[in-house]
Amino acid sequence: MRHFLFVLGLFLFVSAHAQDDLLSDLEKSQANETDYVIQTFKGTRVVNGHSIETKPAGNLEFIISHRFGPVNSGSYELWGLDASTIRLGLEYGITDELGVGVGRSSWDKSYDMYLKYKILRQATGANSFPFTMTLLGSTQYMTLKDVSTEGYSSSDRLSYAFQALIARKFSSFSFQVAPIWVHRNRVDESITSNDIIALGLGLRAKITRSVAIHAEYYPRLNEKDDSPFYNAIGFGIDIETGGHVFQLVFTNSVGMMERIMVTETIDDFWDGGIRFGFNITRTFQLSKKSRTAGW
């Protein structure tokens, strides 16, 4: 009996020691790997403004953004539902880090084009890093022809924006800081400035596997005190259904590109100038090498 207990004890000791060695080796292996954080935001937009996300290489995203009129327009305008502004856009992943996008908005009949480049990624493990950073450069061209643009040259119709998007994911919550500089070649300098700097703030909170809420705020830092424009505010509810992401939107901005959203928001959110709308995105995989998940 004593021999049996001795052998059993020796077996248990060797097994425990082997298990400790296995766990130690596993921990060392995991420590030597880099685990990149994915889906800080589900889509390439927070509400109206961009998120840090880019499309994987070979993926094409079709974006339909729609905004109605302000709810304080009253019953005659059916609380804004009689009015309609739409932007149609495409974004393509050249690489997993670099994307290009184009779009056309019915507001001011403007076209926009942009490049997004993800230069840093949040990660844990061997090469841990605390946040993701994406750079955005965009240009917009207004083609509207009416009394307000009479005498405008081609150069007068151009505007530019440069933005650094910095975000961190905390489990089911994500937060983004996005300073932006917008330059317009021609403005009414009595009420505004050619160059506007704003500090974009955005967040995402995951509620269920397929539902999340979003919010963003773009306070302007150097606008004139008597400017007739307001800071852009937006709230959204994301609903994911397969390859589609459907987002219900409540915002005071009619614009869905940087110039209009950041510098020319004409409605006061806190005075009923809230526009209901939606964003619909659909992703198409154009390359067999593209990655559709985990980015």
Side-chain angles (χ1 to χ4, degrees), residues 76-89:
Y76 181 73
E77 295 291 333
L78 200 60
W79 293 277
L81 296 183
D82 283 352
S84 177
T85 299
I86 191 169
R87 178 186 179 273
L88 302 177

Side-chain angles (χ1 to χ4, degrees), residues 107-111 138 140-143 157-161 180 182-186 255-265:
W107 186 263
D108 283 351
K109 303 187 184 302
S110 292
Y111 293 85
S138 69
Q140 300 97 46
Y141 186 77
M142 178 178 60
T143 65
R157 296 175 177 275
L158 281 169
S159 61
Y160 311 92
I180 184 171
V182 180
H183 172 82
R184 295 167 289 172
N185 282 354
R186 179 167 174 171
M256 293 156 278
M257 57 183 66
E258 290 70 43
R259 171 181 61 83
I260 305 171
M261 178 192 69
V262 176
T263 68
E264 299 174 8
T265 292

Side-chain angles (χ1 to χ4, degrees), residues 196-258:
I196 296 294
I197 297 173
L199 182 62
L201 303 172
L203 63 85
R204 174 182 185 257
K206 190 174 181 180
I207 305 303
T208 68
R209 185 173 182 177
S210 58
V211 178
I213 57 174
H214 288 229
E216 70 178 10
Y217 179 48
Y218 274 79
R220 297 157 298 153
L221 305 181
N222 66 326
E223 185 61 283
K224 294 185 177 182
D225 293 336
D226 56 352
S227 170
F229 304 114
Y230 295 89
N231 295 330
I233 302 173
F235 297 92
I237 303 172
D238 275 9
I239 304 172
E240 183 184 1
T241 56
H244 296 79
V245 177
F246 182 70
Q247 184 181 58
L248 298 174
V249 169
F250 302 89
T251 179
N252 64 332
S253 176
V254 68
M256 293 156 278
M257 57 183 66
E258 290 70 43

Side-chain angles (χ1 to χ4, degrees), residues 108-177:
D108 283 351
K109 303 187 184 302
S110 292
Y111 293 85
D112 67 289
M113 182 174 67
Y114 58 86
L115 287 173
K116 292 178 75 173
Y117 184 52
K118 186 177 290 184
I119 62 172
L120 298 170
R121 291 187 65 185
Q122 183 181 343
T124 58
N127 298 304
S128 63
F129 197 76
F131 58 83
T132 299
M133 182 175 183
T134 300
L135 300 180
L136 169 74
S138 69
T139 182
Q140 300 97 46
Y141 186 77
M142 178 178 60
T143 65
L144 180 67
K145 297 179 181 179
D146 66 6
V147 175
S148 66
T149 61
E150 187 175 351
Y152 272 40
S153 67
S154 295
S155 177
D156 291 337
R157 296 175 177 275
L158 281 169
S159 61
Y160 311 92
F162 298 95
Q163 187 172 27
L165 303 140
I166 304 165
R168 178 174 173 83
K169 184 177 182 180
F170 305 87
S171 184
S172 60
F173 173 81
S174 301
F175 180 72
Q176 176 174 282
V177 178

Side-chain angles (χ1 to χ4, degrees), residues 177-194:
V177 178
I180 184 171
W181 167 57
V182 180
H183 172 82
R184 295 167 289 172
N185 282 354
R186 179 167 174 171
V187 297
D188 183 350
E189 295 185 30
S190 66
I191 60 173
T192 188
S193 304
N194 293 88

Side-chain angles (χ1 to χ4, degrees), residues 82-111:
D82 283 352
S84 177
T85 299
I86 191 169
R87 178 186 179 273
L88 302 177
L90 294 170
E91 182 169 327
Y92 179 72
I94 300 173
T95 69
D96 288 337
E97 294 81 20
L98 177 64
V100 60
V102 295
R104 200 270 187 182
S105 175
S106 61
W107 186 263
D108 283 351
K109 303 187 184 302
S110 292
Y111 293 85

